[in-house]
Amino acid sequence: MRTNSSVVDRYNFQRGVSLIELVIFLVVVSIATSALLATYANSAKNNADPIIKVRALELAQARLDEILALKYDANTPTGGIPACNSTGTGAMTCNNSPDSDLNDVDDFHNVSDTPYTGYTRDVTVVTSNNLKLVTVTVTAPKNITLTLAAYRANF
């Protein structure tokens, strides 16, 4: 009896995968899965950070705006004219020392508060060359620190 080679060839080809191919596939999929899960874990851990940073920025900006809207010095009249330490008529000598009434810029030097649980807001005011550098630092949860600073001129 003669066998037809095309009929035999149809039944001799390999179906499935070898053990080596299966092991290589599992290793590749494991590496890809672990990288993907590490990325998801990192994003899940840090997903609240933008909210914390925005709140810290809002707190710093609000305090900075509040301070910069005040008079330069206790001896500066409302409207700022004549500025203290100026040569204008009626000008007084600048005080440049903080007091407790919080009605001018330098009164906020070393003022600290806690507007929300976990958030601390610290202010420093440094005077030099007729300018006051106001620095507001907010320390937020997760050791996030944000600092805003601006100069207030005597005018």
Side-chain angles (χ1 to χ4, degrees):
M1 176 168 163
R2 230 170 77 185
T3 61
N4 188 350
S5 66
S6 65
V7 173
V8 173
D9 287 342
R10 257 190 301 186
Y11 294 108
N12 285 337
F13 66 88
Q14 183 181 16
R15 294 180 187 253
V17 295
S18 70
L19 182 60
I20 294 173
E21 291 170 333
L22 181 62
V23 169
I24 291 173
F25 172 77
L26 289 175
V27 168
V28 170
V29 168
S30 298
I31 292 171
T33 303
S34 65
L36 188 63
L37 289 177
T39 302
Y40 284 139
N42 188 31
S43 64
K45 181 179 79 171
N46 294 324
N47 69 351
D49 286 354
I51 296 169
I52 294 170
K53 289 176 184 177
V54 166
R55 179 175 273 184
L57 179 62
E58 289 173 345
L59 290 171
Q61 187 67 54
R63 179 52 57 102
L64 190 62
D65 290 345
E66 174 187 359
I67 295 169
L68 294 178
L70 297 174
K71 298 186 298 183
Y72 175 82
D73 190 80
N75 290 335
T76 300
T78 303
I81 299 173
C84 62
N85 285 352
S86 70
T87 58
T89 305
M92 300 178 72
T93 304
C94 290
N95 184 356
N96 290 332
S97 60
D99 52 34
S100 61
D101 58 6
L102 300 178
N103 67 347
D104 59 272
V105 174
D106 55 17
D107 291 348
F108 280 87
H109 182 61
N110 289 333
V111 170
S112 182
D113 67 338
T114 305
Y116 296 110
T117 304
Y119 291 82
T120 304
R121 189 167 49 183
D122 300 307
V123 179
T124 59
V125 180
V126 178
T127 304
S128 69
N129 297 329
N130 233 11
L131 292 172
K132 293 185 181 182
L133 175 62
V134 181
T135 305
V136 179
T137 303
V138 176
T139 305
K142 294 190 174 188
N143 292 326
I144 295 173
T145 302
L146 182 122
T147 301
L148 294 181
Y151 280 101
R152 176 70 162 87
N154 184 16
F155 60 87

